[in-house]
Amino acid sequence: MENSSGPFHFNLTMFGHIGYYRYPAFIFCFLLYSVIVSANVIIILVISRERSLHQPMYVLIACLSVNSLYGSAGFFPRFLRDLLHETHLISRPGCFSQIYVIYTYVSYEFTILSMMAYDRYVAVCKPLHYHSTMTSKMVSKLALFAWIYPAFSIGICVYFSIRLPMCGSKIPKVFCANWPVVKLSCVNTFINNLVGMIVTTTTILIPLFFVLYTYLQILLICRKRSAEFKGKVFQSCLPHIVTFFNYSVTIFCDVTLSRFDFEELNPILAVILSLEFVVIPPILNPLMYGLKLPEIKRVILRLLCRNRQK
């Protein structure tokens, strides 16, 4: 593999299509980012302060909120800055740093969702073994693996991209992404494609199929149980199902769009669709878990009532 060469900056060309919409877009995205930060911080504080919520499922929900803050911080500050600037150049180190943060955010989301699916699987299919299986030590090990493996695998993927010599600088997106950068290379990218496929399989596809498998097992168990049992399972699993489905769809949209030429699509629509996975999940997750799970909702309402009384 050759050493890095080519332009020191990349040009994010899709900002040119936003035009006069950039000021309304800035106000909207700034408010949206504020809501994302506030909602996820509330979930984290509620779970960390309330002892009754120190259980595996709620700890994993807190991890999901931490990841939402992490992914949003890797995207929104730079995006908001670029909306107000005439030029949209990002340095080579800055671009690869953003790629690393956004891609680890994506991988973390899937690994955390797969752990949550496993938690629901044990709770529904093996209830007598739940407390002996989902111990705090077990949850800590799963969480540690969920953070370390994506960080390592995405790091390798980005490392191979950094080493590519570049013959271009235009990235047809509003943020840095690995595939558009790799396409700018002057040399054969077979190794990058192979590493990318392995990383995608291990960090996204395997967790995705694992989640589908756990819910298939849950469905098989529910078929033999009472309507009351099915109702309780549905209530506890619904937020996770919605979160998982929503995230899978948004990632599918981004992956599909990355294979098309953005210039041939409606520019505004292309920008909106490409931002779904960094915008919708961080705002939807705290709303789903805060409003749908009665335990979290009860604690939030109690805290609000206390503040009003003071």
Side-chain angles (χ1 to χ4, degrees):
M1 191 76 68
E2 297 181 35
N3 292 328
S4 301
S5 63
F8 186 73
H9 290 85
F10 292 106
N11 184 15
L12 302 172
T13 61
M14 289 304 289
F15 279 103
H17 296 288
I18 298 177
Y20 295 110
Y21 296 107
R22 61 180 180 167
Y23 295 112
F26 174 85
I27 295 171
F28 175 76
C29 290
F30 178 78
L31 293 174
L32 185 64
Y33 184 42
S34 301
V35 172
I36 287 172
V37 172
S38 302
N40 283 285
V41 166
I42 288 172
I43 293 293
I44 294 167
L45 290 177
V46 164
I47 292 173
S48 62
R49 292 179 61 182
E50 185 65 28
R51 291 200 171 204
S52 63
L53 299 179
H54 292 180
Q55 300 174 33
M57 181 173 70
Y58 302 111
V59 171
L60 294 174
I61 290 171
C63 289
L64 211 58
S65 288
V66 169
N67 191 48
S68 293
L69 293 176
Y70 169 72
S72 300
F75 168 73
F76 275 101
R78 174 77 204 192
F79 178 70
L80 292 171
R81 173 202 170 280
D82 282 334
L83 282 174
L84 298 180
H85 281 68
E86 295 295 333
T87 58
H88 309 108
L89 298 177
I90 182 170
S91 68
R92 192 181 175 105
C95 185
F96 285 113
S97 296
Q98 188 177 57
I99 289 172
Y100 181 78
V101 171
I102 290 178
Y103 279 56
T104 48
Y105 153 73
V106 172
S107 301
Y108 291 152
E109 194 84 359
F110 271 109
T111 51
I112 294 169
L113 287 173
S114 64
M115 287 193 303
M116 295 174 75
Y118 179 68
D119 175 79
R120 292 299 82 204
Y121 164 75
V122 177
V124 174
C125 301
K126 301 179 180 180
L128 298 178
H129 300 283
Y130 180 78
H131 292 292
S132 61
T133 302
M134 297 302 292
T135 61
S136 57
K137 189 175 182 180
M138 180 65 172
V139 174
S140 299
K141 287 181 179 179
L142 289 173
L144 194 63
F145 176 78
W147 293 109
I148 291 177
Y149 179 72
F152 176 74
S153 59
I154 298 298
I156 292 175
C157 192
V158 173
Y159 169 75
F160 277 100
S161 297
I162 290 173
R163 288 174 58 84
L164 288 174
M166 301 296 169
C167 288
S169 62
K170 293 184 178 180
I171 300 175
K173 291 179 82 74
V174 292
F175 61 91
C176 285
N178 193 57
W179 177 243
V181 170
V182 170
K183 287 197 293 186
L184 297 174
S185 173
C186 310
V187 298
N188 186 284
T189 59
F190 172 77
I191 294 178
N192 295 75
N193 296 336
L194 181 61
V195 171
M197 285 178 60
I198 294 171
V199 170
T200 301
T201 300
T202 55
T203 60
I204 295 180
L205 295 182
I206 290 178
L208 189 148
F209 285 115
F210 177 76
V211 172
L212 294 177
Y213 169 78
T214 57
Y215 274 104
L216 177 62
Q217 295 301 310
I218 290 172
L219 283 174
L220 293 175
I221 290 291
C222 287
R223 283 178 58 191
K224 306 171 185 177
R225 301 300 183 90
S226 65
E228 183 182 358
F229 179 84
K230 292 175 183 176
K232 289 180 179 179
V233 171
F234 180 75
Q235 185 181 36
S236 67
C237 293
L238 179 62
H240 181 265
I241 293 171
V242 172
T243 302
F244 173 72
F245 178 77
N246 164 67
Y247 201 73
S248 299
V249 170
T250 56
I251 289 297
F252 175 78
C253 286
D254 183 68
V255 171
T256 303
L257 280 171
S258 68
R259 303 297 166 174
F260 287 94
D261 185 355
F262 272 42
E263 305 295 338
E264 297 178 0
L265 301 173
N266 181 300
I268 301 299
L269 179 62
V271 170
I272 292 172
L273 291 176
S274 69
L275 295 182
E276 281 186 325
F277 78 100
V278 289
V279 173
I280 296 178
I283 190 72
L284 181 65
N285 292 352
L287 294 177
M288 282 301 302
Y289 289 109
L291 298 177
K292 285 295 181 182
L293 290 182
E295 294 82 0
I296 294 179
K297 184 178 179 181
R298 195 181 303 120
V299 175
I300 292 174
L301 291 175
R302 191 172 73 227
L303 291 174
L304 289 174
C305 290
R306 273 187 201 168
N307 290 332
R308 284 182 181 176
Q309 288 174 0
K310 289 179 182 180

